[in-house]
Amino acid sequence: MTADDILEEMKREVTRDSRARVFAGGLLPAFCSFFLELDHPDAGYKDIKEFYARHPQKTDRVNTLTVLPDGQGKKYKTIRQPYEKVARYFIDEKNRITFPSAAPHATGQWHDYQHWLEALVTYTPDQLEELSERAKLFMLSWLPENKFDPSSVEIEPPIFHIILEQFPWNDRRGKEKTGAAFQAMVFAYIRADAPHLQVETRRVRTGSARVQGIGDIDAWDGRKLTISAEVKHFTFDASDVADIRNFIDKVRERGALGYVVATNFADGVTETLQARGMKPLTIANISHIVSLWDPLKQKAALNALEYAIWQKELSIDLGERLDQFLVEVGYRSAMADDKTTEPTLAAEPAPEAGE
C-alpha cells in the first residue's frame, strides 16, 4: 500500500456514517512513531517478518502490538505510549477534546490494521514522518476545535465588596440620618449571607421593643430567632457594653448568634463581648468575608442594600448618594438612573422618649 492508500483508508474509517472509528486517526501516527522510535534510518525491512525477527513479538497476555526491542532485556515496547502521545497532542495541545483518548481500547484494535503495518515497516523515516503529519493535519481539520471566546464573558465586579471598601460611610446628605447607611449595609450582609432565613431590619434609631424585635436586625427560622445584630456606627467602648446588656441576655436566652457590629472596638472590648457569647464585627471583618463571595452573591447583597435604603429607611438622600457612588465606580451609567420610581416617603413616626 502506498501512503496515499493508507491515508485514504484512514479517512474512511474516521468519517464513515456507521460506527466510525475515530481512534484510527491516532492509530496511524502511533504506528509511524512506533517504527521511528525502534529503528535506525537504514533498517530497510522488506516485510513485517524481518521486523519481528529483530524485535520479537510478545503475544501472550497482551492485547496490543508489543515487541522486545532487539530481543534483549525485559523492557517491552508497545504502541500504547505512541498512541497516548498522539492523543495528548490532539486533546491538550490542539484542543480537539472529542478525540477518543481511551488508549487501551484503541490500541487493542491493532489487528484490524495489520495491512498498514505490513506497508509502513518498509517506509523510510522521512516517509513515515510525512504520513504521520498528513494524518494529523487531516484530523485537525476534521475534529472540531474547542474554542473559548473570552469576549463572550461579561465579568460581574465584586460590587458589594467595592461598596464596603470605598463607600463614604461617614458622609450624610440632606435629611439622611446618622448611621442609616451603616445599618442598611449590615442588613444587606446578613440577608445575602443567610438567604435561608427571614431577615428583618428597621429604620435607624427605631427602638426594637416598639416593633417586637430583639436587635436592630433580626433573622428568623420560622419563629425561632437565629441571628440578631446590634449596629453601632461609632467606636464601641467598654461603657457601651452595659447599654446592650438587655440585647445580650435576650440573644443568649434564645440560643441565637449575636452580632455586635461597630465602626471599631476600643481595646479589650472585643474580648469582653466574646466572653459574653457575642460576635463582634467591624466593617473590615465583613469586608474580608465578602471578598470570598462570588459576584452573584455580591449582587444579591447590593439588592438587599437598596431595599433597606428605599423601602425600609425611606431615604431618598441616602439612595441618591448610593446611586451616585455606583456611577462613579463604573457599576452603573448615569443614563440608567431612573428617579421616576422613587418611593413616596411615609411620615416619620414620632421619636421615642430619650431619642
Side-chain angles (χ1 to χ4, degrees):
M1 295 181 72
T2 67
D4 289 342
D5 293 334
I6 296 176
L7 186 62
E8 289 306 312
E9 184 176 328
M10 184 211 79
K11 292 179 182 179
R12 290 193 298 271
E13 290 286 280
V14 169
T15 61
R16 64 190 184 186
D17 293 334
S18 177
R19 302 183 70 178
R21 309 186 96 187
V22 179
F23 65 81
L27 205 53
L28 177 54
F31 284 163
C32 294
S33 295
F34 181 75
F35 288 128
L36 285 166
E37 292 170 8
L38 273 171
D39 283 303
H40 49 79
D42 59 349
Y45 297 112
K46 293 179 181 179
D47 54 39
I48 197 70
K49 291 181 180 179
E50 287 191 4
F51 175 80
Y52 290 146
R54 180 173 179 180
H55 308 294
Q57 184 183 10
K58 179 178 173 62
T59 57
D60 60 307
R61 293 184 295 178
V62 295
N63 71 337
T64 190
L65 178 58
T66 305
V67 299
L68 183 61
D70 296 314
Q72 299 177 3
K74 296 182 180 180
K75 190 172 183 180
Y76 287 92
K77 182 171 180 60
T78 77
I79 57 171
R80 180 167 175 175
Q81 290 82 6
Y83 184 88
E84 289 176 336
K85 185 176 180 180
V86 173
R88 289 195 297 270
Y89 170 77
F90 285 137
I91 297 171
D92 298 335
E93 294 184 35
K94 298 300 181 180
N95 295 317
R96 300 322 197 261
I97 62 173
T98 57
F99 180 79
S101 60
H105 170 75
T107 59
Q109 311 305 309
W110 74 278
H111 290 285
D112 296 341
Y113 302 98
Q114 290 194 68
H115 56 296
W116 290 2
L117 294 170
E118 290 280 358
L120 294 173
V121 76
T122 67
Y123 287 11
T124 66
D126 288 344
Q127 289 174 316
L128 290 171
E129 289 176 358
E130 180 184 2
L131 180 56
S132 177
E133 288 305 309
R134 290 174 67 189
K136 290 178 182 178
L137 286 174
F138 168 76
M139 293 300 293
L140 291 176
S141 68
W142 186 78
L143 291 167
E145 184 176 3
N146 182 42
K147 286 186 177 180
F148 179 74
D149 180 9
S151 66
S152 66
V153 178
E154 183 178 348
I155 299 175
E156 285 277 347
I159 186 57
F160 195 58
H161 187 249
I162 292 171
I163 292 171
L164 288 169
E165 292 288 298
Q166 300 180 30
F167 187 74
W169 299 105
N170 293 324
D171 291 356
R172 280 194 299 155
R173 178 186 295 177
K175 296 182 179 180
E176 180 184 339
K177 291 183 178 178
T178 304
F182 198 75
Q183 182 162 310
M185 175 274 293
V186 177
F187 164 78
Y189 162 70
I190 295 174
R191 181 67 186 85
D193 198 48
H196 56 292
L197 301 177
Q198 302 300 319
V199 186
E200 298 174 349
T201 186
R202 288 165 282 281
R203 299 178 74 178
V204 70
R205 294 198 297 280
T206 297
S208 302
R210 292 175 57 192
V211 289
Q212 301 300 306
I214 304 301
D216 295 317
I217 300 163
D218 296 322
W220 302 83
D221 176 15
R223 62 182 183 179
K224 179 183 178 182
L225 182 69
T226 303
I227 299 172
S228 189
E230 276 290 296
V231 183
K232 307 298 181 184
H233 192 203
F234 51 76
T235 297
F236 199 84
D237 61 28
S239 64
D240 297 311
V241 177
D243 294 338
I244 64 167
R245 182 174 55 190
N246 189 48
F247 165 77
I248 294 173
D249 291 342
K250 288 182 177 180
V251 167
R252 295 180 66 177
E253 286 172 356
R254 289 160 175 78
L257 282 173
Y259 293 160
V260 179
V261 188
T263 304
N264 213 333
F265 292 94
D267 290 344
V269 174
T270 294
E271 292 76 11
T272 299
L273 290 171
Q274 289 173 336
R276 299 190 182 188
M278 297 297 101
K279 308 293 183 184
L281 291 174
T282 65
I283 198 167
N285 300 141
I286 295 174
S287 181
H288 173 70
I289 296 169
V290 170
S291 70
L292 305 177
W293 287 3
D294 63 79
L296 289 180
K297 190 171 181 178
Q298 303 228 12
K299 188 176 181 181
L302 171 59
N303 291 341
L305 178 63
E306 292 186 304
Y307 166 79
I309 290 171
W310 289 102
Q311 304 302 325
K312 288 295 185 178
E313 197 59 44
L314 301 173
S315 175
I316 291 177
D317 292 317
L318 175 54
E320 290 182 343
R321 195 158 69 86
L322 177 62
D323 287 342
Q324 181 181 347
F325 173 83
L326 294 174
V327 171
E328 290 173 353
V329 297
Y331 186 75
R332 290 181 182 161
S333 66
M335 295 292 291
D337 293 336
D338 182 4
K339 299 300 188 291
T340 62
T341 57
E342 291 172 352
T344 301
L345 298 188
E348 293 188 11
E352 291 188 57
E355 284 194 352

